[in-house]
Amino acid sequence: MTSIAGGTAAELGSAAPVLTDFGGGPFGIYVHVPFCATRCGYCDFNTYTAGELGSSSSPRSWMEALRGELATAASVFGALPGSQPEVSTIFVGGGTPSLLGGDGLAEVLDAVRANFVLADGAEVTTESNPESTSPRFFERIRAAGFTRVSLGMQSAAEHVLRVLDRTHTPGRAVAAAREARDAGFDHVNLDLIYGTPGETDADLDASLDAVLAAGVDHVSAYSLIVEDGTALARRVRRGELPAPDDDVLAARYEQIDTRLTAAGLTWYEVSNWAASDPARCRHNLGYWGGGDWLGAGPGAHSHLGGVRWWNVKHPSRYADRVTQGTLPAAGWESLTPEERYTERVMLTVRLRTGLPLDALNPSGRSAAQRVIADGLATRSGDTMTLTDRGRLLADAVVRDLLT
């Protein structure tokens, strides 16, 4: 691996000098779909509505550029020493991938298959907005080869959805989850956001009732974060809405964990619960485990053998870069040993499988003993795992381990 700290997009565009090998772990592909029908007030993702894009980009021009990027990446990776690994996971996110429709998502998967070899039993996930799905949509993507669906529910309370600027009706996410299961999807996730201003314990209980009634095998639950530059941040700054309260967020997390655990969904990452090992999101486990992945699409991030790069954000600029026949990178960096150590600690400690103590440096091992003594983690053999209280303070635990 080279020790170059960073470089220009042009240097990565020619790629071979800085990409020397695969890291040896699982290899996944993330595809970013930058389109949304409307912009949610809390969202700071790289997304665009049709009005924001005008005539500068469209799903068709994005699809053509995606094909070009995948072909270029496959060519670059094929020139590296050793054999290119099979793709074990694909995750289509956004944005709102379901706006492409079933045929559009099938085309995305065909573009990946045209340039990379999928492993037997590969996990293939797409995110979807409940309002842009239907029984036919789920049947089409299941037939195309998708194996997993992740639906943005956020809440079952109408007034909470209004604060978040979500467009779907409260019952639509549950109906969509059932439609996905009827179409043959064994693995369906529902996303929740908790701690929205105005949300009550009863609201969250109603959301959890709906999630459990949907019969899904995976739930992701995230505390509301007020991101700079969003409509929600402006409303909080003007005093129209209160900022999320840390004590309330902790109580909401405990409420979620208690209900999901009682229903047979076990946490395997601080914000994720699954009904079984096969129900866990293997693509995200690849991220958390330090695997390699190609991020294709505007603004997508990639990682290969300790080199990380990120694409230009705007869809039209992204397409322009692809037509030049290079990876459409805005920049790249080669992670130092210290940076890789930091990321491993940050990500691994959040997993139920725990953080191996021998992965820590001497300072980290001393801190781990303090964390265990404080009741924030337990030790089993040579591994430390967060306790229930430790999960509430996971960020503080990470700071202690890295100090």
Side-chain angles (χ1 to χ4, degrees):
M1 190 66 252
T2 60
S3 59
I4 304 171
T8 66
E11 287 172 330
L12 185 70
S14 57
V18 294
L19 299 178
T20 60
D21 54 28
F22 291 92
F27 178 63
I29 292 179
Y30 171 78
V31 176
H32 187 71
V33 181
F35 308 110
C36 280
T38 61
R39 182 177 297 280
C40 297
Y42 62 90
C43 180
D44 71 338
F45 293 166
N46 186 43
T47 62
Y48 306 84
T49 64
E52 290 169 339
L53 287 173
S55 61
S56 68
S57 184
S58 68
R60 177 46 49 193
S61 63
W62 167 85
M63 185 68 235
E64 293 171 357
L66 177 69
R67 288 183 182 279
E69 182 185 10
L70 291 171
T72 298
S75 175
V76 169
F77 291 177
L80 300 179
S83 59
Q84 180 177 306
E86 294 179 331
V87 178
S88 57
T89 64
I90 299 171
F91 196 106
V92 184
T96 310
S98 48
L99 285 179
L100 300 177
D103 289 343
L105 283 172
E107 193 173 352
V108 170
L109 189 50
D110 286 343
V112 175
R113 288 193 182 110
N115 294 284
F116 294 88
V117 177
L118 270 63
D120 291 339
E123 175 192 88
V124 185
T125 303
T126 184
E127 294 180 334
S128 298
N129 186 305
E131 291 293 342
S132 52
T133 64
S134 66
R136 172 58 185 152
F137 168 83
F138 291 117
E139 291 166 2
R140 178 68 180 96
I141 64 172
R142 185 71 188 95
F146 283 83
T147 66
R148 188 173 179 275
V149 172
S150 181
L151 293 159
M153 175 178 172
Q154 319 316 352
S155 176
E158 188 170 4
H159 69 97
V160 173
L161 294 175
R162 283 199 300 271
V163 172
L164 296 174
D165 293 325
R166 295 290 294 181
T167 58
H168 65 267
T169 54
R172 178 57 201 153
V174 171
R178 289 172 174 161
E179 291 166 2
R181 292 176 59 221
D182 289 343
F185 283 95
D186 294 326
H187 304 308
V188 181
N189 170 68
L190 284 173
D191 278 348
L192 289 176
I193 290 178
Y194 60 91
T196 301
E199 179 189 60
T200 65
D201 289 349
D203 291 331
L204 182 55
D205 261 332
S207 296
L208 291 165
D209 287 342
V211 165
L212 297 176
V216 297
D217 67 346
H218 192 285
V219 177
S220 299
Y222 305 102
S223 63
L224 179 66
I225 298 175
V226 180
E227 301 284 2
D228 290 341
T230 62
L232 179 62
R234 291 189 289 274
R235 295 185 68 186
V236 170
R237 188 170 59 248
R238 291 193 297 263
E240 297 174 14
L241 294 171
D245 180 271
D246 287 343
D247 290 337
V248 171
L249 294 176
R252 296 277 192 272
Y253 181 87
E254 291 176 325
Q255 185 179 353
I256 292 167
D257 186 54
T258 297
R259 290 289 308 277
L260 295 181
T261 299
L265 284 88
T266 304
W267 79 278
Y268 69 99
E269 192 273 343
V270 168
S271 298
N272 291 272
W273 291 257
S276 64
D277 286 354
R280 299 176 179 182
C281 181
R282 287 161 45 198
H283 186 83
N284 285 341
L285 284 168
Y287 293 150
W288 300 325
D292 291 323
W293 70 91
L294 168 69
H301 285 231
S302 302
H303 174 266
L304 183 64
V307 175
R308 181 161 49 211
W309 67 96
W310 46 95
N311 287 348
V312 294
K313 287 187 172 183
H314 198 278
S316 62
R317 291 188 60 223
Y318 163 76
D320 289 343
R321 290 288 184 88
V322 171
T323 60
Q324 298 172 17
T326 64
L327 294 176
W332 64 272
E333 61 184 355
S334 183
L335 300 178
T336 66
E338 293 77 14
E339 289 169 334
R340 299 178 80 165
Y341 172 80
T342 295
E343 293 196 357
R344 182 178 183 188
V345 172
M346 289 176 59
L347 297 173
T348 308
V349 78
R350 295 176 59 90
L351 297 173
R352 190 184 185 95
T353 50
L355 174 65
L357 294 174
D358 63 7
L360 295 169
N361 59 28
S363 176
R365 286 193 290 273
S366 296
Q369 298 308 316
R370 295 193 298 272
V371 167
I372 293 169
D374 289 341
L376 301 180
T378 59
R379 177 172 181 170
S380 176
D382 291 327
T383 300
M384 64 170 285
T385 303
L386 294 177
T387 61
D388 292 347
R389 181 165 169 262
R391 280 188 280 157
L392 295 173
L393 300 170
D395 290 344
V397 170
V398 169
R399 287 195 297 270
D400 286 346
L401 294 175
L402 295 175
T403 299

